Amino acid sequence: MEYIYIIIAAIFVNNVILAQFLGICPFIGVSKKVETAMGMGMAVLFVMTLATIVTWLIQTYVLVPNELGFLQTLTFILVIAALVQMVEIILKKVAPSLYQALGIFLPLITTNCAVLGVAIMTIQKGYNLAEGTVFAVSTAIGFAFALVLFAGIREQLETADIPEGMKGTPIALIIAGLMAMAFMGFSGLV
């Protein structure tokens, strides 16, 4: 039951983008096409899950036993940067079109505060490795869900009759706000 609570809370109630406002840069930047948003969501899913597992192990077996907790943020950032480089190399070989589509946004996963935030929240919430992994996967699914949903809306807005001053970023921010309010409706679930 605890895992179901973690899943529902991470995807809907405490959505990392719409409730905690982490990962806004890729949310606004990569959400113009659904295909690119799905690719970014999958890349974040892989990096976030792997980063959470690795950082939890480092925190539990290296930093805490050696009383080096003050190095947590620096260590986590370095781990995330290394994982993003690995994903970049893999995407370049396996899916060159997706690699080109993501362009500058793939390296931005390194500085995506959602990835770092989930790794730190896993430690702060006192999750064990299994709970932390479920939390990371669920949060990444929530991230991808919000990103793809937002991209779909933005694609539809391209053909809509919108006043000139509202096109682009202004209407995107209004839609993001409306989505955040809609996701607040899930707050009574858990």
Side-chain angles (χ1 to χ4, degrees), residues 3 20 40 44 55 70 81 94 110 132 138 144 156-157 186:
Y3 293 111
Q20 297 177 13
M40 180 64 141
V44 168
T55 56
F70 62 92
V94 175
T110 304
S138 301
Q156 293 297 316
L157 288 174
F186 293 116

Side-chain angles (χ1 to χ4, degrees), residues 13-46:
V13 179
N14 296 319
N15 186 284
V16 73
I17 294 175
L18 301 172
Q20 297 177 13
F21 307 112
L22 297 173
I24 297 294
C25 292
F27 182 66
I28 299 296
V30 185
S31 61
K32 292 182 181 170
K33 296 198 178 295
V34 172
E35 182 181 327
T36 308
M38 287 188 340
M40 180 64 141
M42 293 304 107
V44 168
L45 172 68
F46 178 75

